[in-house]
Amino acid sequence: MAIQTLAVLPQEFTIYGLAPAASIPAAVTQSELYFIGKTEDQLSIVVPSTVKLEAEDTDENWRALELLGPLELSMVGIMAKIGSVLAGAKISIFVVSTFDTDFFLVKGHKLQEAVGALRKAGYQVQTPGTDS
């Protein structure tokens, strides 16, 4: 199987933790890109940092690497392999997925290290304003 291509998204993201019964603010669903996850303990929302929310917990300055797809749901090990490369470089990740693809969020100050580690491992990484 060929190694995948990732693209660094241009915007910065913030991860918010809200009470599980909290309403999802309209600003979230009006955003061009957002992710929502809910358990009985917490409502988590990832949005571009330009969207400001009131939350119990906030973690700012995340950058996203989009795994370019679409990927088939039957594909095995892609997230584990990329996660392993980043773990080997001592880079923490926050992963969110859609039906078609995965997004690997890394802290902004670790972005260049993440790109370098992925490229060294044979992945193609597109950065904003370039095609490679």
Side-chain angles (χ1 to χ4, degrees):
M1 177 183 356
I3 291 188
Q4 291 76 31
T5 300
L6 296 102
V8 176
L9 300 185
Q11 65 269 60
E12 185 176 285
F13 291 87
T14 300
I15 303 169
Y16 291 98
L18 291 81
S23 297
I24 298 168
V28 172
T29 59
Q30 293 169 0
S31 177
E32 182 176 319
L33 181 64
Y34 62 90
F35 300 93
I36 299 172
K38 185 177 185 291
T39 66
E40 62 183 49
D41 297 322
Q42 189 175 62
L43 172 65
S44 296
I45 299 175
V46 179
V47 288
S49 295
T50 55
V51 177
K52 303 296 182 192
L53 305 178
E54 293 291 324
E56 294 175 350
D57 295 307
T58 303
D59 199 336
E60 300 175 323
N61 192 28
W62 289 87
R63 296 294 304 274
L65 295 132
E66 178 183 2
L67 183 57
L68 298 181
L71 305 174
E72 296 178 22
L73 292 176
S74 62
M75 295 176 83
V76 177
I78 294 171
M79 195 181 309
K81 288 177 186 172
I82 293 171
S84 179
V85 168
L86 296 173
K90 304 214 182 305
I91 298 170
S92 298
I93 59 174
F94 186 93
V95 180
V96 290
S97 298
T98 68
F99 191 86
D100 288 337
T101 194
D102 301 310
F103 293 80
F104 295 81
L105 280 75
V106 300
K107 290 300 268 186
H109 69 279
K110 292 285 195 174
L111 178 63
Q112 291 310 314
E113 286 179 59
V115 168
L118 289 163
R119 285 180 173 158
K120 185 176 179 182
Y123 290 90
Q124 292 182 19
V125 182
Q126 299 174 355
T127 55
T130 69
D131 57 5
S132 61

